[in-house]
Amino acid sequence: MLAFTRLSLAAAVLAPALSSHAVKILVQVGPENSVTFSPSNISANVGDTVTFQFLAKNHSVTQTTFAEPCSSPLFGGINSGFQPVSPDSTATPQFSFTVNNASTPLFFFSAQTAVVNECNTGMVFSINQDPNSAESFAAFQANAKADIRPAAKVNKEGRRVHARDFAKLVGK
Ligand SMILES: *[C@@H]1O[C@H](CO)[C@@H](O)[C@H](O)[C@H]1NC(C)=O
Ligand SMILES: *[C@@H]1O[C@H](CO)[C@@H](O)[C@H](O)[C@H]1NC(C)=O
Ligand SMILES: *[C@@H]1O[C@H](CO)[C@@H](O)[C@H](O)[C@H]1NC(C)=O
């Protein structure tokens, strides 16, 4: 009986924290043909769902590293792949994921380089950035504009690998 009471109390305290506050956050990708995520940064809690609506062009939302946003996407990270939208299309491709770690910021870029290197123009996005930290969204975006190295990736051991693997990593 005592054990049962403790469990019930634990459930009563934990359940609302885990479920009832979860929200769905919408992010527009390329609104009005812009090369932007809108908004460019959000705050999210564990359990929140982030949904990207691809409105135009051919962008991706690809998880990456703070220091080298455009050339070193995160090995095994979240990745929508390219989401082309033809100009006369009425369809809006969507990509969603659930936030499962809100204790550190998450960083993303559009991996499109065909017409322009979109990341170099500042097309980046972050979750849970702290504007007063060294890893603020502003610092991340500045890194993106400065990261003109050829596309490459970092493997599990932290080594950079050949640029040809970049397309495989971001273009699934
Ligand atoms: C973060 O996004 C908000 C909109 O949600 C925007 O007002 C703010 O300027 C962004 N921060 C930076 C550093 O761009
Ligand atoms: C969240 O991510 C950070 C950095 O990767 C890690 O140190 C931490 O253990 C993670 N927290 C959880 C709850 O997974
Ligand atoms: C979208 O962009 C990728 C990468 O540049 C390219 O391989 C793909 O062909 C593009 N898709 C369309 C329909 O233009």
Side-chain angles (χ1 to χ4, degrees):
M1 190 57 202
L2 188 56
F4 177 78
T5 306
R6 280 195 186 132
L7 275 175
S8 301
L9 267 175
V13 171
L14 285 175
L18 288 174
S19 60
S20 67
H21 297 296
V23 297
K24 186 173 176 181
I25 302 167
L26 291 180
V27 179
Q28 295 189 319
V29 187
E32 287 161 18
N33 278 307
S34 65
V35 183
T36 61
F37 294 96
S38 181
S40 59
N41 65 92
I42 60 167
S43 298
N45 294 311
V46 170
D48 289 353
T49 302
V50 187
T51 297
F52 296 84
Q53 300 177 311
F54 292 84
L55 298 176
K57 299 190 180 178
N58 182 2
H59 305 293
S60 80
V61 57
T62 304
Q63 197 174 358
T64 192
T65 50
F66 171 80
E68 297 180 319
C70 311
S71 64
S72 297
L74 198 68
F75 188 91
I78 295 162
N79 182 20
S80 67
F82 294 106
Q83 299 285 341
V85 182
S86 62
D88 54 354
S89 171
T90 53
T92 303
Q94 297 201 352
F95 175 76
S96 298
F97 61 86
T98 301
V99 174
N100 60 18
N101 187 339
S103 63
T104 57
L106 306 176
F107 298 104
F108 301 84
F109 74 127
S110 173
Q112 186 59 264
T113 60
V115 178
V116 63
N117 184 320
E118 297 182 339
C119 180
N120 284 163
T121 73
M123 188 171 180
V124 291
F125 171 79
S126 71
I127 301 179
N128 293 332
Q129 58 104 28
D130 175 353
N132 299 314
S133 76
E135 295 201 345
S136 66
F137 175 80
F140 171 55
Q141 193 173 45
N143 285 348
K145 291 178 178 174
D147 182 15
I148 56 169
R149 288 213 282 179
K153 74 182 181 79
V154 175
N155 67 12
K156 273 182 183 152
E157 291 76 41
R159 284 197 317 266
R160 291 174 69 82
V161 300
H162 196 280
R164 67 173 172 250
D165 292 330
F166 181 83
K168 289 185 208 156
L169 183 69
V170 302
K172 71 175 179 204

